[in-house]
Amino acid sequence: EIGYFGIAEPIARLPLMISNSLATTILPVTSEMFASKNTNILKKYMFNALRYNLIIMVPICLFIMIFSNGDPFPNNAKKPVIYLYPTEKTDISVNLKLDGKITCTYPEINKGWNVTAYPDGKVINKADGKEYSYLYWEGESNTKYDMSKGFVVKGEDTAKFLQEKLSYMGLTPREYNEFIVYWLPQMQNNKYNLITFQGKAYTDSAKLEISPKPDSMLRVFMAYKPLSKPIDIEEQKLQTFERKGFTVVEWGGSEVK
């Protein structure tokens, strides 16, 4: 399910295609040369096999290189939302530095969000004076997520699994319900999902700059891959989170192709 050839971009498959083609034409000839004394005919066959192999493979490889629609940013960070929970009414600035391209924000980020936040999570955006429940963004990046440890979950069990794990990691019912409402329709109809929760791979590629500095911050980012059948994988160990003082909570996710 997660083999190299299956997840590689078309251009990355060229070395394997070329080596397979050469092997299927040269190896039989080599075998026959050891078994036969008529080396002249076999040498002629080998020459023609190589020639026709190049005539066919080179145009195919060039076609793939030119017309491949490989995406320079194959991973989409979908609906990361940022909740701000100061201990009292506070003016806060938030900026996002993404290793990739930001495709959407709400409210508009401009050169950063400047808001007034309240202990219940309500934020007033200074740019338009309107009230928001959180800060939202989406983006594209070429982040390589760590899928070596995780959980294989039946599609029909997705909601129960997310309720349990998100609550354990520290999301409140309001937060994890909003997470589930967004992601459940995309996951529940898959036979299985390989689900992981990213750490450094995500936080290094999507850096948050917040002033004043939070006393505690939780960033939950799910990377998942649909599966047609279960696979064996080491279970990921998750950490709990304790909220202290001015707390920032973020959740988001991405489907790994």
Side-chain angles (χ1 to χ4, degrees):
E1 283 293 336
I2 318 179
Y4 169 77
F5 192 85
I7 64 174
E9 294 294 333
I11 193 170
R13 300 173 184 170
L14 292 181
L16 184 59
M17 294 169 62
I18 293 171
S19 62
N20 282 343
S21 178
L22 290 173
T24 55
T25 54
I26 301 304
L27 289 181
V29 176
T30 305
S31 177
E32 288 297 325
M33 285 183 68
F34 281 104
S36 174
K37 295 181 179 180
N38 195 344
T39 57
N40 290 330
I41 294 177
L42 291 172
K43 286 179 180 178
K44 183 177 179 181
Y45 175 80
M46 179 180 284
F47 173 79
N48 286 329
L50 278 171
R51 185 178 65 172
Y52 290 126
N53 187 66
L54 292 174
I55 290 173
I56 294 172
M57 286 303 300
V58 169
I60 290 175
C61 291
L62 289 174
F63 179 86
I64 293 175
M65 291 172 65
I66 294 171
F67 295 101
S68 169
N69 62 347
D71 189 348
F73 300 121
N75 292 321
N76 294 327
K78 289 191 174 181
K79 206 186 177 181
V81 297
I82 303 166
Y83 304 90
L84 304 173
Y85 300 109
T87 56
E88 59 184 8
K89 177 182 174 182
T90 306
D91 291 334
I92 301 172
S93 65
V94 180
N95 198 11
L96 168 68
K97 291 191 174 180
L98 179 67
D99 183 14
K101 180 174 67 173
I102 297 174
T103 56
C104 184
T105 61
Y106 182 78
E108 188 174 352
I109 192 171
N110 296 313
K111 294 182 179 180
W113 288 292
N114 290 287
V115 303
T116 300
Y118 294 81
D120 63 356
K122 177 180 72 176
V123 295
I124 303 297
N125 183 35
K126 292 184 178 181
D128 58 17
K130 296 184 188 292
E131 178 181 331
Y132 297 85
S133 300
Y134 44 68
L135 306 176
Y136 156 84
W137 67 274
E138 280 197 6
E140 299 173 344
S141 75
N142 56 6
T143 303
K144 302 299 182 184
Y145 297 124
D146 181 2
M147 308 295 287
S148 61
K149 299 177 183 179
F151 308 88
V152 176
V153 181
K154 287 184 178 180
E156 63 192 34
D157 295 334
T158 301
K160 181 180 178 181
F161 169 83
L162 291 176
Q163 282 180 327
E164 177 187 338
K165 298 305 182 185
L166 295 174
S167 175
Y168 177 83
M169 286 189 286
L171 295 189
T172 65
R174 170 201 172 196
E175 294 161 355
Y176 69 64
N177 283 328
E178 289 177 346
F179 182 109
I180 293 170
V181 165
Y182 180 81
W183 285 105
L184 185 60
Q186 304 177 56
M187 301 173 68
Q188 67 177 353
N189 294 324
N190 300 329
K191 288 187 177 180
Y192 296 88
N193 293 294
L194 169 57
I195 301 175
T196 70
F197 296 99
Q198 300 296 306
K200 188 175 174 61
Y202 170 68
T203 57
D204 282 355
S205 67
K207 296 180 179 178
L208 287 178
E209 297 178 348
I210 302 175
S211 181
K213 185 178 179 180
D215 298 304
S216 58
M217 181 160 63
L218 173 63
R219 304 186 71 186
V220 176
F221 190 86
M222 175 188 69
Y224 80 96
K225 181 179 178 65
L227 301 174
S228 59
K229 58 184 179 181
I231 62 171
D232 292 326
I233 191 168
E234 183 178 346
E235 184 172 309
Q236 183 178 8
K237 290 185 169 80
L238 303 176
Q239 303 296 321
T240 58
F241 174 73
E242 182 180 355
R243 302 183 184 221
K244 297 179 180 177
F246 169 30
T247 299
V248 173
V249 175
E250 179 194 47
W251 64 254
S254 179
E255 178 184 350
V256 177
K257 304 294 186 181

